[in-house]
Amino acid sequence: MDRKQLQYQVACMRKSLFDQGYLDEQFNQLEDLQDEANPNFVEEVVTLFYSDSARFIHNIEQAMINKPNIDYGKLDDYMHQFKGSSSSFGAKKVKKECSQFRECCSAGNIEGCIKTFRQLKLEHATLKRKLETYFQLVKQAGIAERR
Amino acid sequence: MTLKMQQSYHHSVAVKVNEQQVGTKRGYTFIQANRTWLPKVLLLWVMAMALLSLTIYNGMDADNRVRRKEVLGSMCDQRARILQDQFSVSVNHVHALAILVSTFHYYKNPSAIDQETFAEYTARTAFERPLLSGVAYARRVIDSERQEFERQHGWTIKTMEREPSAIRDEYAPVIFSQETVSYIESLDMMSGEEDRENILRARATGKAVLTRPFRLLGSHHLGVVLTFPVYKSKLPPSPTAAQRIEATAGYLGGAFDIESLVENLLGQLAGNQAILVNVYDITNSSDLLIMYGHQNLDGDLSLLHESKLDFGDPFRKHLMICRYHEKAPASWAALTTAFLFFVIGLLVGYILYGAAIHIVRVEDGFHEMQELKFRAEAADVTKSQFLATVSHEIRTPMNGILGMLALLLDTDLSSTQRDYAQTAQVCGKALIALINEVLDREKIEAGKLELEAVPFDIRSILDDVLSLFSEKSRNKGIELAVFVSDKVPEIVVGDPGRFRQIITNLVGNSVKFTDRGHIFIKVHLYENAKAMTDTKVNTCLNGGSNESVLTSGSQKFKTLSGCETADDQNSWDVFRHFSDEDFRSDASINVTTNNEASEDVGLMVCVEDTGIGIPLKAQGRVFMPFVQADSSTSRHYGGTGIGLSISKCLVELMGGQIDFISRPDVGSTFSFTAVFGTCKKNVFNNMEKRNAEALPSGFRGLKALVVDGNPVRATVTRYHLKRLGILAEVVSSLKLAAGSCGKNGSLTSGGKIQPDIILVEKDSWISGEDSVSSVWQLDLKQNGHTFKLPKMILLATNITNSEFDKAKGAGFSDTVIMKPLRARMVAACLQQVLSMGKKRSQGKGMPNGSSFLQSLLCGKRILVVDDNRVNRRVAAGALKKFGADVECAESGKAALKLLQLPHIYDACFMDIQMPEMDGFEATCLIRQMESRANEQMNGEYMVEEGTARKVQWHIPILAMTADVIHATHDKCLKSGMDGYVSKPFRGRKSLSGSCQVL
């Protein structure tokens, strides 16, 4: 594919990610931090985020299984971590779901928690898919440029 | 005033329309409402006036008549009294005569009186009886005595008709008579009807008795006869009528010629011509007998006065009637007065009528005008709406065009195509800008524009504006500077966008029209500016101000660039007041700003330039939209001329006024006032934290020396340095600078400050270079080994390569601070200069702002503590980006292990919320450890060296937290942290707020 076209596609995709509210300003900051010394910084962070988040999701699911004796404090802790990660990385929608989850937690609303968590997982997965495509494109563009 | 009102309240047109309608309804005054009645009212008025004057005339006339009547009465009474007096005097005399007769004729025997004696006596005493034509004495003769009597006197008794009397009971023949009436001698008085009656009455009463008036025998005048009884013997004290008759001896009579008598009398009195007098005998009330005056009445019959006359005879009653000879003359005074009154009334009525008519006309006109005005305003609103709609409709497709152009430019284009597309894009942008301006204006006019009220930093806004124009001004070689008085609060509440728009507009104009000299933006508190202007006026009056000083032939003004400016008010004298005041009273100002928190503050902003100025004839329409000074202006400089009118509207929305002073070929000074709110300190603090673009504070406490011959420019430099926390001193030349440094160099006095930086204005350097630089160098060498060399930095508007080389040769640093000065840029340059020695390797093409951070963090070992891997990675990445050597720890405990003494890290970033041991706890432990070590160590050192510097273990610890609320901040400080950065970690933005800690 043509280099220009690839670049254009990358730009469009990136813009749509922002426009649709998946990502926020923080992601720009991350990209700013990426330079020659640290060429794959963003991807590295994203990978880290996903390995981390998989763990969190697992933990949270475990914590929510043994109904009705749910330890809301623990849930909240997990979710705090999860939220920290997502805000560091700029996953806006996921972060929003996290906040909502924590609100439900503090209200002791298990139904809300479950509902939000389902939504959270959905957002999480969507973002992951989108970002995978995006990074693939970026890589292609990078290769094209080097050629 | 009206115009202004109109403009500022344009947006309330809709409301105004209602008001107007109400107003027109209410606007009809009483006069207006009753306009049809006006002529009728006038007629009524005239009639009322006529009536009134008639009344006045009547009143005055009646007055006259009363007076006339009184006069008549008094005159009449007077006459009556005199007549009565005269009459009674005469009666008395007759009485005396009667007594004389009785005494000398009857008591004497023989009689002492005969005819001759009587005649003589009466003739000689006639003067005493002027009213009596004559007196006579008749003797009482009883029929039985007739013979005897006739014989005795030798004549027979005759009647009034001079015939021998017939036989009667009694006779009264006249025996004595005055000569004037001698013809009645021997006539029997009893034969005449009146006389007989008289005699009978007289002898019965014993008093004087009068006849009714009749024609007297001799004179044929009207007269009355007075009769007095004469008694033979003395009467008893209270005689009866019979006794009297018995004792009667004779009768004395006299004829009163009333006519001549009254004539005579009246002749003696004043005013006898004016009145007519009639005297009547009214004994018989049904038959008035005239005694005097004409029987047929003439003269003024309307007014009569009657006076009673008492002639001493109770039987007879007399009356005097007086009247005016002529009718009362018309009273001219009354007539004139009444007429004048009427005329005046008429005039007054007419005047009032005229006024009312005028009022009605004016009001009609007013309503008409109001209607027209309303229609005009409605038209204006329609126009605005039309423009707004059209502009908006144009803007929408224009955005599409521009977007497509941008996309087009991203594609592969040949250079020509690219050129075309770029031109199209530039034109499109210009069009959008223009439409936006038009829209702005219309929005303002339609009152739809609402100002924001958010806290913002005026100084940074001004710096931004300056940076916008710095390129242009540098190319033109114009000095561009800003100065904000310290009294202006750091954060004000208002609309930063609109404020920037005004400033940008004014400065843009100035830059456009200025080719030499300077553009200077000044911001003061409005109250201060006013006070200072007053001071200035005073000094002017005292003759104390001389704005210009002559140096080497050419006039030099005390302004930023030495060029003349249009507004003398902003000259150096005033400016010095401001800046001195500012620098002197820092502390007090802080206090006052704290006190008057959340109050409004009026700012006065001046933009002064030395451009071409505005032609005098065009000055009146500067603020009118779409008007430029003249048509050639737009040819020369472009533009639509809408900017100033927008600025004016905006300024008025901000509660201020815009004004300007301009002199052609000298320059213009635009100044405007605006009212902003001030906000409380803590709000401002929060905002500062949020606004990560706050100025770097790493320069606090540095000292600088500014070398500049131009005091205004030096003040501006000092202002920017002060904002960075640098203490600045100003000297006017290099020589003085060298002198002051030299003094400091010798260790004699510690009073003066040793400057860390010396900032030299290019002009000062060039003018003083030859003579001073050698001395300068010498001084520096002398002191060089003992003291740190101050950095020398050149300040310049523009500089050529050769000059730059020369400057470097003279000992200046590589970095030249290019004007216009901005605090942030100055900071960056200073940073570059100050850190040059240590970290030259960093000279990569970094953006200005981060270079400072870069230098700060470069080579430092930093520990990042966070349990979240992603966070940790991001923070580490960001710090690495600035050249720091980063290590990570994933929990508080791990961090504690790493942070053992002696510290190998320069700083630590610590997450607060961590499992097991959170940030607060970890920090507390670290601090405890440090303080233990410090105590121990200081104890040892004290013993050994005494004066040695205190060594303090203290690793800067910064919290990383997502919530930046105040409580968290306090908690951070309490647990021994030095500051905090916000999460998510944002590199420069997060860090710059806390760099003073590092």
Side-chain angles (χ1 to χ4, degrees), chain B residues 459 462 466 481-486 520-524 575 578-580 582-583 606 712 715-720:
Chain B
R459 290 170 178 80
L462 288 170
L466 229 60
V482 64
F483 176 83
V484 181
S485 159
D486 274 13
F520 189 18
I521 311 161
K522 282 173 286 186
V523 184
H524 303 296
F575 185 64
F578 284 130
S579 47
D580 284 0
D582 284 353
F583 287 109
C606 297
V712 179
T715 311
V716 172
T717 313
R718 193 160 61 148
Y719 152 70
H720 286 291

PDB file of all heavy atoms in Angstrom, chain B residues 459 462 466 481-486 520-524 575 578-580 582-583 606 712 715-720:
ATOM      1  N   ARG B 459      -1.823  38.616  32.890  1.00  0.00           N
ATOM      2  CA  ARG B 459      -0.446  38.745  32.432  1.00  0.00           C
ATOM      3  C   ARG B 459      -0.114  37.696  31.373  1.00  0.00           C
ATOM      4  O   ARG B 459       0.527  37.986  30.373  1.00  0.00           O
ATOM      5  CB  ARG B 459       0.495  38.637  33.623  1.00  0.00           C
ATOM      6  CG  ARG B 459       0.407  39.858  34.522  1.00  0.00           C
ATOM      7  CD  ARG B 459       1.145  39.637  35.821  1.00  0.00           C
ATOM      8  NE  ARG B 459       1.102  40.821  36.655  1.00  0.00           N
ATOM      9  CZ  ARG B 459       0.072  41.172  37.414  1.00  0.00           C
ATOM     10  NH1 ARG B 459      -0.997  40.419  37.428  1.00  0.00           N
ATOM     11  NH2 ARG B 459       0.099  42.263  38.145  1.00  0.00           N
ATOM     12  N   LEU B 462      -1.684  38.593  28.125  1.00  0.00           N
ATOM     13  CA  LEU B 462      -0.936  39.643  27.436  1.00  0.00           C
ATOM     14  C   LEU B 462       0.329  39.061  26.816  1.00  0.00           C
ATOM     15  O   LEU B 462       0.725  39.428  25.708  1.00  0.00           O
ATOM     16  CB  LEU B 462      -0.597  40.769  28.406  1.00  0.00           C
ATOM     17  CG  LEU B 462      -1.823  41.614  28.792  1.00  0.00           C
ATOM     18  CD1 LEU B 462      -1.477  42.551  29.926  1.00  0.00           C
ATOM     19  CD2 LEU B 462      -2.328  42.395  27.605  1.00  0.00           C
ATOM     20  N   LEU B 466       1.390  39.102  22.953  1.00  0.00           N
ATOM     21  CA  LEU B 466       2.697  39.598  22.551  1.00  0.00           C
ATOM     22  C   LEU B 466       3.388  38.588  21.648  1.00  0.00           C
ATOM     23  O   LEU B 466       3.988  38.938  20.627  1.00  0.00           O
ATOM     24  CB  LEU B 466       3.533  39.833  23.811  1.00  0.00           C
ATOM     25  CG  LEU B 466       4.222  41.170  23.883  1.00  0.00           C
ATOM     26  CD1 LEU B 466       3.172  42.266  23.842  1.00  0.00           C
ATOM     27  CD2 LEU B 466       5.024  41.271  25.166  1.00  0.00           C
ATOM     28  N   ALA B 481       6.221  45.945  23.904  1.00  0.00           N
ATOM     29  CA  ALA B 481       6.414  45.630  25.310  1.00  0.00           C
ATOM     30  C   ALA B 481       5.094  45.712  26.042  1.00  0.00           C
ATOM     31  O   ALA B 481       4.163  46.375  25.613  1.00  0.00           O
ATOM     32  CB  ALA B 481       7.411  46.594  25.944  1.00  0.00           C
ATOM     33  N   VAL B 482       5.063  45.026  27.162  1.00  0.00           N
ATOM     34  CA  VAL B 482       3.868  45.043  27.981  1.00  0.00           C
ATOM     35  C   VAL B 482       4.272  45.325  29.413  1.00  0.00           C
ATOM     36  O   VAL B 482       5.353  44.947  29.857  1.00  0.00           O
ATOM     37  CB  VAL B 482       3.105  43.704  27.860  1.00  0.00           C
ATOM     38  CG1 VAL B 482       3.946  42.562  28.398  1.00  0.00           C
ATOM     39  CG2 VAL B 482       1.788  43.762  28.595  1.00  0.00           C
ATOM     40  N   PHE B 483       3.412  46.051  30.080  1.00  0.00           N
ATOM     41  CA  PHE B 483       3.667  46.310  31.495  1.00  0.00           C
ATOM     42  C   PHE B 483       2.351  46.243  32.235  1.00  0.00           C
ATOM     43  O   PHE B 483       1.388  46.901  31.864  1.00  0.00           O
ATOM     44  CB  PHE B 483       4.304  47.681  31.674  1.00  0.00           C
ATOM     45  CG  PHE B 483       4.505  48.056  33.114  1.00  0.00           C
ATOM     46  CD1 PHE B 483       5.606  47.600  33.799  1.00  0.00           C
ATOM     47  CD2 PHE B 483       3.569  48.816  33.783  1.00  0.00           C
ATOM     48  CE1 PHE B 483       5.785  47.917  35.141  1.00  0.00           C
ATOM     49  CE2 PHE B 483       3.733  49.132  35.126  1.00  0.00           C
ATOM     50  CZ  PHE B 483       4.859  48.690  35.801  1.00  0.00           C
ATOM     51  N   VAL B 484       2.323  45.422  33.279  1.00  0.00           N
ATOM     52  CA  VAL B 484       1.111  45.325  34.097  1.00  0.00           C
ATOM     53  C   VAL B 484       1.460  45.777  35.498  1.00  0.00           C
ATOM     54  O   VAL B 484       2.411  45.283  36.090  1.00  0.00           O
ATOM     55  CB  VAL B 484       0.576  43.888  34.124  1.00  0.00           C
ATOM     56  CG1 VAL B 484      -0.693  43.816  34.947  1.00  0.00           C
ATOM     57  CG2 VAL B 484       0.327  43.386  32.730  1.00  0.00           C
ATOM     58  N   SER B 485       0.708  46.721  35.989  1.00  0.00           N
ATOM     59  CA  SER B 485       0.960  47.233  37.332  1.00  0.00           C
ATOM     60  C   SER B 485       0.773  46.122  38.357  1.00  0.00           C
ATOM     61  O   SER B 485      -0.073  45.250  38.197  1.00  0.00           O
ATOM     62  CB  SER B 485      -0.017  48.366  37.610  1.00  0.00           C
ATOM     63  OG  SER B 485      -0.152  48.558  38.996  1.00  0.00           O
ATOM     64  N   ASP B 486       1.588  46.157  39.392  1.00  0.00           N
ATOM     65  CA  ASP B 486       1.508  45.113  40.416  1.00  0.00           C
ATOM     66  C   ASP B 486       0.205  45.140  41.177  1.00  0.00           C
ATOM     67  O   ASP B 486      -0.178  44.168  41.807  1.00  0.00           O
ATOM     68  CB  ASP B 486       2.652  45.267  41.412  1.00  0.00           C
ATOM     69  CG  ASP B 486       3.878  44.550  40.902  1.00  0.00           C
ATOM     70  OD1 ASP B 486       3.861  44.188  39.712  1.00  0.00           O
ATOM     71  OD2 ASP B 486       4.822  44.360  41.680  1.00  0.00           O
ATOM     72  N   PHE B 520       3.357  49.826  23.031  1.00  0.00           N
ATOM     73  CA  PHE B 520       3.519  49.600  24.459  1.00  0.00           C
ATOM     74  C   PHE B 520       2.145  49.377  25.070  1.00  0.00           C
ATOM     75  O   PHE B 520       1.249  50.206  24.927  1.00  0.00           O
ATOM     76  CB  PHE B 520       4.205  50.825  25.073  1.00  0.00           C
ATOM     77  CG  PHE B 520       4.622  50.638  26.507  1.00  0.00           C
ATOM     78  CD1 PHE B 520       4.719  49.369  27.053  1.00  0.00           C
ATOM     79  CD2 PHE B 520       4.938  51.731  27.301  1.00  0.00           C
ATOM     80  CE1 PHE B 520       5.118  49.200  28.361  1.00  0.00           C
ATOM     81  CE2 PHE B 520       5.336  51.560  28.606  1.00  0.00           C
ATOM     82  CZ  PHE B 520       5.425  50.296  29.145  1.00  0.00           C
ATOM     83  N   ILE B 521       1.964  48.242  25.709  1.00  0.00           N
ATOM     84  CA  ILE B 521       0.682  47.935  26.357  1.00  0.00           C
ATOM     85  C   ILE B 521       0.860  48.113  27.855  1.00  0.00           C
ATOM     86  O   ILE B 521       1.793  47.552  28.430  1.00  0.00           O
ATOM     87  CB  ILE B 521       0.261  46.483  26.070  1.00  0.00           C
ATOM     88  CG1 ILE B 521       0.359  46.193  24.576  1.00  0.00           C
ATOM     89  CG2 ILE B 521      -1.118  46.214  26.589  1.00  0.00           C
ATOM     90  CD1 ILE B 521       0.411  44.728  24.263  1.00  0.00           C
ATOM     91  N   LYS B 522      -0.014  48.904  28.415  1.00  0.00           N
ATOM     92  CA  LYS B 522       0.088  49.139  29.860  1.00  0.00           C
ATOM     93  C   LYS B 522      -1.244  48.798  30.507  1.00  0.00           C
ATOM     94  O   LYS B 522      -2.298  49.140  30.004  1.00  0.00           O
ATOM     95  CB  LYS B 522       0.398  50.605  30.142  1.00  0.00           C
ATOM     96  CG  LYS B 522       1.836  50.951  29.917  1.00  0.00           C
ATOM     97  CD  LYS B 522       2.042  52.430  30.040  1.00  0.00           C
ATOM     98  CE  LYS B 522       1.496  53.156  28.836  1.00  0.00           C
ATOM     99  NZ  LYS B 522       1.779  54.577  28.832  1.00  0.00           N
ATOM    100  N   VAL B 523      -1.184  48.148  31.648  1.00  0.00           N
ATOM    101  CA  VAL B 523      -2.416  47.837  32.383  1.00  0.00           C
ATOM    102  C   VAL B 523      -2.280  48.379  33.793  1.00  0.00           C
ATOM    103  O   VAL B 523      -1.298  48.093  34.486  1.00  0.00           O
ATOM    104  CB  VAL B 523      -2.667  46.315  32.432  1.00  0.00           C
ATOM    105  CG1 VAL B 523      -3.995  46.026  33.101  1.00  0.00           C
ATOM    106  CG2 VAL B 523      -2.639  45.734  31.051  1.00  0.00           C
ATOM    107  N   HIS B 524      -3.233  49.179  34.188  1.00  0.00           N
ATOM    108  CA  HIS B 524      -3.243  49.719  35.556  1.00  0.00           C
ATOM    109  C   HIS B 524      -4.615  49.532  36.140  1.00  0.00           C
ATOM    110  O   HIS B 524      -5.566  49.258  35.439  1.00  0.00           O
ATOM    111  CB  HIS B 524      -2.954  51.222  35.545  1.00  0.00           C
ATOM    112  CG  HIS B 524      -1.668  51.569  34.903  1.00  0.00           C
ATOM    113  ND1 HIS B 524      -0.478  51.176  35.407  1.00  0.00           N
ATOM    114  CD2 HIS B 524      -1.403  52.291  33.781  1.00  0.00           C
ATOM    115  CE1 HIS B 524       0.479  51.628  34.624  1.00  0.00           C
ATOM    116  NE2 HIS B 524      -0.053  52.299  33.629  1.00  0.00           N
ATOM    117  N   PHE B 575       4.154  57.413  34.259  1.00  0.00           N
ATOM    118  CA  PHE B 575       4.528  56.010  34.287  1.00  0.00           C
ATOM    119  C   PHE B 575       5.434  55.724  35.474  1.00  0.00           C
ATOM    120  O   PHE B 575       5.291  54.721  36.156  1.00  0.00           O
ATOM    121  CB  PHE B 575       5.232  55.672  32.982  1.00  0.00           C
ATOM    122  CG  PHE B 575       5.555  54.215  32.873  1.00  0.00           C
ATOM    123  CD1 PHE B 575       4.535  53.288  32.828  1.00  0.00           C
ATOM    124  CD2 PHE B 575       6.851  53.782  32.839  1.00  0.00           C
ATOM    125  CE1 PHE B 575       4.812  51.956  32.729  1.00  0.00           C
ATOM    126  CE2 PHE B 575       7.131  52.448  32.748  1.00  0.00           C
ATOM    127  CZ  PHE B 575       6.112  51.527  32.690  1.00  0.00           C
ATOM    128  N   PHE B 578       3.597  55.217  38.575  1.00  0.00           N
ATOM    129  CA  PHE B 578       3.027  53.887  38.686  1.00  0.00           C
ATOM    130  C   PHE B 578       4.057  52.879  39.149  1.00  0.00           C
ATOM    131  O   PHE B 578       3.878  52.175  40.114  1.00  0.00           O
ATOM    132  CB  PHE B 578       2.528  53.404  37.322  1.00  0.00           C
ATOM    133  CG  PHE B 578       1.256  54.036  36.924  1.00  0.00           C
ATOM    134  CD1 PHE B 578       1.122  54.617  35.682  1.00  0.00           C
ATOM    135  CD2 PHE B 578       0.198  54.043  37.796  1.00  0.00           C
ATOM    136  CE1 PHE B 578      -0.052  55.198  35.322  1.00  0.00           C
ATOM    137  CE2 PHE B 578      -0.990  54.623  37.438  1.00  0.00           C
ATOM    138  CZ  PHE B 578      -1.097  55.205  36.194  1.00  0.00           C
ATOM    139  N   SER B 579       5.135  52.857  38.424  1.00  0.00           N
ATOM    140  CA  SER B 579       6.068  51.768  38.667  1.00  0.00           C
ATOM    141  C   SER B 579       6.699  51.932  40.037  1.00  0.00           C
ATOM    142  O   SER B 579       6.856  50.964  40.760  1.00  0.00           O
ATOM    143  CB  SER B 579       7.116  51.730  37.564  1.00  0.00           C
ATOM    144  OG  SER B 579       7.602  53.019  37.341  1.00  0.00           O
ATOM    145  N   ASP B 580       7.009  53.158  40.408  1.00  0.00           N
ATOM    146  CA  ASP B 580       7.585  53.364  41.736  1.00  0.00           C
ATOM    147  C   ASP B 580       6.636  52.863  42.800  1.00  0.00           C
ATOM    148  O   ASP B 580       6.988  52.104  43.676  1.00  0.00           O
ATOM    149  CB  ASP B 580       7.858  54.853  41.971  1.00  0.00           C
ATOM    150  CG  ASP B 580       9.096  55.282  41.219  1.00  0.00           C
ATOM    151  OD1 ASP B 580       9.680  54.395  40.556  1.00  0.00           O
ATOM    152  OD2 ASP B 580       9.448  56.452  41.292  1.00  0.00           O
ATOM    153  N   ASP B 582       4.359  50.794  42.507  1.00  0.00           N
ATOM    154  CA  ASP B 582       4.264  49.345  42.453  1.00  0.00           C
ATOM    155  C   ASP B 582       5.369  48.695  43.243  1.00  0.00           C
ATOM    156  O   ASP B 582       5.144  47.827  44.067  1.00  0.00           O
ATOM    157  CB  ASP B 582       4.366  48.871  40.994  1.00  0.00           C
ATOM    158  CG  ASP B 582       3.075  49.143  40.282  1.00  0.00           C
ATOM    159  OD1 ASP B 582       2.119  49.547  40.958  1.00  0.00           O
ATOM    160  OD2 ASP B 582       3.054  48.947  39.060  1.00  0.00           O
ATOM    161  N   PHE B 583       6.572  49.139  42.969  1.00  0.00           N
ATOM    162  CA  PHE B 583       7.687  48.434  43.566  1.00  0.00           C
ATOM    163  C   PHE B 583       7.820  48.756  45.044  1.00  0.00           C
ATOM    164  O   PHE B 583       8.357  47.989  45.806  1.00  0.00           O
ATOM    165  CB  PHE B 583       8.971  48.763  42.832  1.00  0.00           C
ATOM    166  CG  PHE B 583       9.033  48.103  41.491  1.00  0.00           C
ATOM    167  CD1 PHE B 583       8.915  48.839  40.326  1.00  0.00           C
ATOM    168  CD2 PHE B 583       9.137  46.721  41.401  1.00  0.00           C
ATOM    169  CE1 PHE B 583       8.934  48.215  39.102  1.00  0.00           C
ATOM    170  CE2 PHE B 583       9.157  46.098  40.166  1.00  0.00           C
ATOM    171  CZ  PHE B 583       9.050  46.847  39.018  1.00  0.00           C
ATOM    172  N   CYS B 606      -3.874  50.588  28.220  1.00  0.00           N
ATOM    173  CA  CYS B 606      -3.476  51.528  27.171  1.00  0.00           C
ATOM    174  C   CYS B 606      -2.620  50.799  26.157  1.00  0.00           C
ATOM    175  O   CYS B 606      -1.738  50.020  26.534  1.00  0.00           O
ATOM    176  CB  CYS B 606      -2.643  52.667  27.739  1.00  0.00           C
ATOM    177  SG  CYS B 606      -3.541  53.643  28.896  1.00  0.00           S
ATOM    178  N   VAL B 712      11.841  53.683  30.866  1.00  0.00           N
ATOM    179  CA  VAL B 712      10.587  52.967  30.615  1.00  0.00           C
ATOM    180  C   VAL B 712      10.882  51.523  30.258  1.00  0.00           C
ATOM    181  O   VAL B 712      10.297  50.578  30.789  1.00  0.00           O
ATOM    182  CB  VAL B 712       9.798  53.634  29.473  1.00  0.00           C
ATOM    183  CG1 VAL B 712       8.517  52.869  29.222  1.00  0.00           C
ATOM    184  CG2 VAL B 712       9.494  55.069  29.812  1.00  0.00           C
ATOM    185  N   THR B 715      11.984  49.573  33.139  1.00  0.00           N
ATOM    186  CA  THR B 715      10.881  49.196  34.028  1.00  0.00           C
ATOM    187  C   THR B 715      10.156  47.976  33.497  1.00  0.00           C
ATOM    188  O   THR B 715       9.763  47.088  34.265  1.00  0.00           O
ATOM    189  CB  THR B 715       9.894  50.362  34.160  1.00  0.00           C
ATOM    190  OG1 THR B 715      10.629  51.524  34.460  1.00  0.00           O
ATOM    191  CG2 THR B 715       8.903  50.107  35.249  1.00  0.00           C
ATOM    192  N   VAL B 716       9.988  47.942  32.186  1.00  0.00           N
ATOM    193  CA  VAL B 716       9.323  46.785  31.596  1.00  0.00           C
ATOM    194  C   VAL B 716      10.136  45.528  31.847  1.00  0.00           C
ATOM    195  O   VAL B 716       9.609  44.478  32.243  1.00  0.00           O
ATOM    196  CB  VAL B 716       9.117  46.996  30.081  1.00  0.00           C
ATOM    197  CG1 VAL B 716       8.612  45.720  29.441  1.00  0.00           C
ATOM    198  CG2 VAL B 716       8.155  48.132  29.836  1.00  0.00           C
ATOM    199  N   THR B 717      11.444  45.625  31.654  1.00  0.00           N
ATOM    200  CA  THR B 717      12.315  44.476  31.896  1.00  0.00           C
ATOM    201  C   THR B 717      12.204  44.028  33.344  1.00  0.00           C
ATOM    202  O   THR B 717      12.077  42.847  33.650  1.00  0.00           O
ATOM    203  CB  THR B 717      13.770  44.852  31.592  1.00  0.00           C
ATOM    204  OG1 THR B 717      13.815  45.513  30.349  1.00  0.00           O
ATOM    205  CG2 THR B 717      14.644  43.630  31.570  1.00  0.00           C
ATOM    206  N   ARG B 718      12.220  45.018  34.221  1.00  0.00           N
ATOM    207  CA  ARG B 718      12.158  44.713  35.631  1.00  0.00           C
ATOM    208  C   ARG B 718      10.839  44.016  35.974  1.00  0.00           C
ATOM    209  O   ARG B 718      10.788  43.111  36.790  1.00  0.00           O
ATOM    210  CB  ARG B 718      12.287  46.008  36.428  1.00  0.00           C
ATOM    211  CG  ARG B 718      12.533  45.757  37.888  1.00  0.00           C
ATOM    212  CD  ARG B 718      13.121  46.956  38.541  1.00  0.00           C
ATOM    213  NE  ARG B 718      12.230  48.099  38.458  1.00  0.00           N
ATOM    214  CZ  ARG B 718      12.170  49.042  39.403  1.00  0.00           C
ATOM    215  NH1 ARG B 718      12.960  48.977  40.451  1.00  0.00           N
ATOM    216  NH2 ARG B 718      11.367  50.049  39.266  1.00  0.00           N
ATOM    217  N   TYR B 719       9.784  44.481  35.291  1.00  0.00           N
ATOM    218  CA  TYR B 719       8.462  43.892  35.532  1.00  0.00           C
ATOM    219  C   TYR B 719       8.465  42.396  35.203  1.00  0.00           C
ATOM    220  O   TYR B 719       7.991  41.568  35.978  1.00  0.00           O
ATOM    221  CB  TYR B 719       7.426  44.645  34.702  1.00  0.00           C
ATOM    222  CG  TYR B 719       6.219  43.844  34.299  1.00  0.00           C
ATOM    223  CD1 TYR B 719       5.273  43.456  35.234  1.00  0.00           C
ATOM    224  CD2 TYR B 719       6.029  43.478  32.969  1.00  0.00           C
ATOM    225  CE1 TYR B 719       4.169  42.734  34.863  1.00  0.00           C
ATOM    226  CE2 TYR B 719       4.926  42.752  32.587  1.00  0.00           C
ATOM    227  CZ  TYR B 719       4.001  42.375  33.540  1.00  0.00           C
ATOM    228  OH  TYR B 719       2.910  41.653  33.161  1.00  0.00           O
ATOM    229  N   HIS B 720       9.062  42.061  34.069  1.00  0.00           N
ATOM    230  CA  HIS B 720       9.081  40.652  33.684  1.00  0.00           C
ATOM    231  C   HIS B 720       9.948  39.842  34.626  1.00  0.00           C
ATOM    232  O   HIS B 720       9.608  38.717  34.999  1.00  0.00           O
ATOM    233  CB  HIS B 720       9.567  40.510  32.246  1.00  0.00           C
ATOM    234  CG  HIS B 720       8.542  40.923  31.243  1.00  0.00           C
ATOM    235  ND1 HIS B 720       7.396  40.219  31.024  1.00  0.00           N
ATOM    236  CD2 HIS B 720       8.481  42.002  30.420  1.00  0.00           C
ATOM    237  CE1 HIS B 720       6.661  40.809  30.109  1.00  0.00           C
ATOM    238  NE2 HIS B 720       7.305  41.919  29.724  1.00  0.00           N
TER     239      HIS B 720
END
